[in-house]
Amino acid sequence: AKEGGKRRFAVFTPAMRDSIVRRHGLKAELEHAIKQRELVVQYQPIVDLASGQTVSVEALVRWNHPGRGRIPPLEFIPLAEETGLIVPLGRYVMEEACARVSGRHPELQVQVNLSAIELEHPDLIESVAGVIARTGIAPDRVVLEVTETLLVKDAVRGVETLQQLRDLGVQLALDDFGTGYSSLSYLRNLPLDSLKIAREFVEGLAFSDHDAAFVRLIVGLAKTVGLKVVAEGIETREQLDMLREIGCDLGQGYYFAKPMDADADWLAAGIG
Ligand code: C2E
Ligand code: CA
Ligand code: CA
């Protein structure tokens, strides 16, 4: 059978073997890490650009590996997705994050990333409902961040699952908007509350008229259809000023704060 119009040759190199061995090792270790709670959750403030107040935090997982040090999520999330470990991992992050924010920060929302694999899992709704019940968090303070890849396999089921989540009272954000295969039909058909403009666009804001035009367009579009907009990856004052001028509601990025430990002062991140 043809694959991508090219013939594939099965050349097995030592590098491939090493990579398989490493991945296999990592898989077992990741399983262990979830059980041993080597995974920690950090929190990055999301700031209201008009008032300067922190209004929400995004939970971001880190793996503190005893031998390898801190492994970034981009190295183990894909592995967790391939192996299905993303399901217990995601549950752990959601439970931690909701428990942390629920009692201590009654003024904040909490955002948790949901991968497409988790969305396909039959127990998702029950699991989210369980976290809400156990942590006592008001459901509308929970924001689940999803990407468009959730629609690749089965768009109809994807939309149904999102609707069921919404019926629990949680909010939904479309993450990394503008990358991948964003389509206007998603905005039209998905039951969303907010969208997050991908860092790539924010990065170009100050020097690319093209990117600035895109950000303007996305913000205008979001507002027209009644969605809140969050700009990701704000690193400079210039970007912040432009986003305010454009009318973007919310922002997140190193300019305000890097992801912080659970016990750090998240509220200090706002604009002074
Ligand atoms: P994401 O959801 O787009 O998260 C934002 C990423 O941008 C985070 O990277 C954050 O640390 C980084 N970031 C925030 N502000 C800035 C900035 O001003 N400049 C730059 N250069 N980067 C900034 P991180 O924590 O390494 O996470 C990477 C990705 O891993 C996340 O991208 C998300 O897709 C995934 N991820 C992280 N935690 C989880 C999780 O608990 N579950 C799932 N399914 N995915 C997760
Ligand atoms: Ca996210
Ligand atoms: Ca993002």
Side-chain angles (χ1 to χ4, degrees):
K2 265 197 185 174
E3 248 188 338
K6 273 188 198 162
R7 274 229 259 166
R8 301 254 162 134
F9 294 92
V11 180
F12 196 70
T13 65
M16 280 166 68
R17 194 205 57 222
D18 287 354
S19 137
I20 289 166
V21 169
R22 186 175 137 83
R23 289 169 75 79
H24 182 74
L26 265 183
K27 184 195 166 206
E29 287 185 63
L30 182 56
E31 225 159 1
H32 175 83
I34 295 169
K35 288 200 195 102
Q36 295 305 308
R37 312 239 142 175
E38 284 168 24
L39 300 178
V40 295
V41 183
Q42 285 198 314
Y43 299 87
Q44 188 176 33
I46 294 174
V47 173
D48 180 322
L49 299 186
S51 72
Q53 304 262 330
T54 299
V55 292
S56 188
V57 288
E58 179 176 2
L60 294 159
V61 69
R62 278 88 184 78
W63 182 1
N64 286 331
H65 189 284
R68 297 179 218 251
R70 178 169 282 190
I71 306 177
L74 291 178
E75 274 184 41
F76 65 89
I77 294 287
L79 178 73
E81 289 178 330
E82 279 166 37
T83 54
L85 288 172
I86 192 72
V87 171
L89 185 158
R91 283 183 188 168
Y92 170 72
V93 172
M94 193 176 303
E95 183 104 30
E96 277 287 302
C98 290
R100 171 58 59 163
V101 172
S102 173
R104 263 179 235 229
H105 297 281
E107 71 288 4
L108 298 182
Q109 286 191 311
V110 60
Q111 327 226 147
V112 179
N113 293 286
L114 258 196
S115 95
I117 310 287
E118 291 172 270
L119 274 156
E120 285 167 8
H121 198 279
D123 295 345
L124 175 74
I125 305 298
E126 207 181 314
S127 161
V128 173
V131 171
I132 290 169
R134 281 191 297 279
T135 60
I137 194 165
D140 63 358
R141 291 175 58 207
V142 179
V143 182
L144 301 179
E145 299 194 359
V146 299
T147 60
E148 293 129 337
T149 54
L150 85 113
L151 299 176
V152 172
K153 270 202 222 147
D154 186 347
V156 175
R157 240 196 96 204
V159 175
E160 268 172 26
T161 307
L162 293 183
Q163 193 54 57
Q164 289 173 333
L165 286 169
R166 240 181 157 218
D167 292 345
L168 293 178
V170 304
Q171 299 203 348
L172 299 175
L174 189 58
D175 205 357
D176 303 326
F177 187 75
T179 63
Y181 298 95
S182 304
S183 146
L184 288 183
S185 73
Y186 293 160
L187 287 192
R188 193 163 153 257
N189 299 327
L190 295 182
L192 298 171
D193 298 281
S194 58
L195 65 88
K196 299 186 80 174
I197 304 177
R199 186 171 79 230
E200 287 85 332
F201 293 103
V202 175
E203 216 172 357
L205 251 189
F207 55 84
S208 156
D209 290 345
H210 183 255
D211 283 1
F214 255 98
V215 172
R216 244 176 241 288
L217 188 72
I218 296 171
V219 171
L221 184 67
K223 295 209 151 170
T224 306
V225 295
L227 300 177
K228 289 189 282 184
V229 214
V230 185
E232 294 193 273
I234 304 176
E235 294 184 351
T236 69
R237 180 79 213 191
E238 207 181 355
Q239 290 166 343
L240 168 62
D241 289 342
M242 286 184 75
L243 286 161
R244 276 176 154 163
E245 185 261 316
I246 288 170
C248 182
D249 307 308
L250 301 159
Q252 177 180 2
Y254 296 167
Y255 179 79
F256 304 117
K258 294 203 165 172
M260 297 188 278
D261 288 337
D263 57 3
D265 182 5
W266 308 337
L267 300 182
I271 309 165

